[in-house]
Amino acid sequence: MSPAEEEKSLPLPERWPRASKFALSACAAAVAELVTFPLDLTKTRLQVQGEAAVHRHGATAGQAVPYRGMLRTAAGIVQEEGLGKLWQGATPAIYRHIVYSGVRMVAYEHLRDSVLGRSEDESFPFWKAVIGGMSAGAIGQFFASPTDLVKVQMQMEGKRKLEGKPLRFRGVHHAFMKILSEGGIRGLWAGWVPNVQRAALVNMGDLTTYDSVKHFLLLNTPLVDNSVTHSVASCCSGLVAAVLGTPADVVKTRIMNQPRDKQGRGLLYKSSTDCLIQTVRGEGFMSLYKGFIPTWMRMAPWSLVFWLTYEQIRRICGVSSF
């Protein structure tokens, strides 16, 4: 058998390992996103609630919006906008995770196995895991930033309708084209800096924690590489990711949702640092953790669903465990 014929006889994951891992992680992420998306919508609405810069800018003059917690916000969306609105923006969110999760997972494994390198005992030092997780998250989010921008802005359409404001978008394609026509290519990457910062922190919590906890359990406890180990590691990763990522997520959401001029420049915040300072000065430090409970309640099941699905899909397809 010639080398070319031998290569064709190999299973698909062995012929195109990175493309296969990209597709598998994208599938697992799409499942996790659909299951937990209502919590993401609730979190986004909470994060722009009581925004001090909006009141100073006069955009909501004369409107007193009462503070609502997570449950009241979710119930209000169902009562005022309908049950289906809990999944408003789900399509660009899935697009985003196909790009984001696919790139970050492939990038992390490449960094871990080829660039940074494991130790002789197959363990991966924690400091290397931190560098790998943050780098992979930043790379993945940069490529996925336009879809994240569309997702955040579409999630706010129901709120705009209730406030008597005209809807900005008719759908995902219209949202992309409108943002592109108003702000150009640069407009599609509006808010990419806090977006990438958040992704780096979240993946330091998610990828780094999951990989480190999983292999710690395998090396130091009687647990084996199965769903129990995956579940424990994913629960830890979801909590750490929420704690590290929520402040950057609040800044990211506000920058992406702010009104813009014809040049695509924000009218409320000059930069992510300016947004951070205005938020803390106007609303207090704990405002950076607005939406933490739904963030954590979403990240925990998202992480659990994603990692269990991803590990099982890899096993079924003959790809080695993460």
Side-chain angles (χ1 to χ4, degrees):
M1 184 181 292
S2 66
E5 292 176 338
E6 187 176 343
E7 184 179 344
K8 287 182 180 179
S9 67
L10 291 173
L12 192 63
E14 292 184 30
R15 277 190 283 164
W16 297 303
R18 289 178 186 169
S20 299
K21 290 174 182 177
F22 181 98
L24 296 179
S25 61
C27 290
V31 172
E33 192 67 20
L34 283 173
V35 171
T36 62
F37 189 79
L39 285 167
D40 186 58
L41 176 65
T42 303
K43 173 210 71 175
T44 302
R45 295 287 182 88
L46 278 170
Q47 287 174 339
V48 296
Q49 190 170 243
E51 197 169 353
V54 172
H55 293 289
R56 285 196 298 271
H57 195 259
T60 56
Q63 296 183 20
V65 181
Y67 178 80
R68 300 196 292 189
M70 182 192 73
L71 294 178
R72 288 183 64 193
T73 298
I77 292 170
V78 174
Q79 292 172 358
E80 297 163 4
E81 304 171 42
L83 181 63
K85 293 299 181 181
L86 286 174
W87 278 270
Q88 184 164 359
T91 301
I94 292 173
Y95 290 164
R96 178 230 178 200
H97 266 289
I98 289 173
V99 179
Y100 170 64
S101 291
V103 172
R104 75 177 180 125
M105 298 304 292
V106 172
Y108 182 79
E109 284 200 77
H110 178 69
L111 289 169
R112 182 186 66 184
D113 299 335
S114 302
V115 179
L116 298 172
R118 295 177 182 269
S119 300
E120 292 182 1
D121 61 354
E122 289 300 306
S123 64
F124 192 47
F126 182 72
W127 69 269
K128 289 186 178 181
V130 169
I131 294 173
M134 294 185 74
S135 300
I139 294 168
Q141 187 55 62
F142 178 78
F143 284 104
S145 197
T147 55
D148 208 19
L149 175 66
V150 171
K151 182 199 79 169
V152 168
Q153 295 207 3
M154 287 193 69
Q155 284 179 330
M156 302 309 299
E157 289 298 274
K159 182 183 177 185
R160 288 177 63 87
K161 185 176 180 180
L162 288 175
E163 292 175 349
K165 298 176 181 177
L167 297 182
R168 295 173 292 185
F169 314 118
R170 295 191 297 269
V172 177
H173 181 263
H174 179 246
F176 271 111
M177 296 309 296
K178 185 174 181 181
I179 294 171
L180 184 62
S181 64
E182 292 179 353
I185 295 294
R186 180 181 177 183
L188 288 173
W189 267 267
W192 74 269
V193 174
N195 225 358
V196 167
Q197 291 168 344
R198 172 191 175 272
L201 291 171
V202 166
N203 280 278
M204 184 171 68
D206 185 30
L207 279 173
T208 301
T209 303
Y210 180 83
D211 196 25
S212 300
V213 171
K214 175 187 170 182
H215 288 94
F216 174 83
L217 293 174
L218 293 177
L219 292 171
N220 298 282
T221 71
L223 291 175
V224 296
D225 194 357
N226 59 17
S227 296
V228 175
T229 304
H230 304 159
S231 298
V232 173
S234 66
C235 288
C236 294
S237 68
L239 177 60
V240 176
V243 171
L244 293 176
T246 299
D249 195 34
V250 170
V251 172
K252 178 212 76 170
T253 298
R254 292 187 170 193
I255 284 183
M256 285 188 160
N257 189 58
Q258 69 176 323
R260 299 183 176 277
D261 61 19
K262 293 181 179 180
Q263 285 73 43
R265 294 174 297 197
L267 299 177
L268 302 180
Y269 310 111
K270 298 175 183 177
S271 64
S272 56
T273 304
D274 181 46
C275 179
L276 176 68
I277 294 172
Q278 286 197 49
T279 300
V280 173
R281 283 180 178 174
E283 304 163 56
F285 177 78
M286 290 311 295
S287 63
L288 294 175
Y289 281 89
K290 278 186 176 181
F292 172 77
I293 297 299
T295 296
W296 175 57
M297 288 184 66
R298 177 178 183 269
M299 280 188 172
W302 193 97
S303 186
L304 181 65
V305 172
F306 172 78
W307 285 112
L308 287 177
T309 304
Y310 186 49
E311 294 276 21
Q312 290 302 310
I313 291 176
R314 287 174 70 111
R315 182 181 62 79
I316 291 169
C317 294
V319 180
S320 61
S321 175
F322 182 82

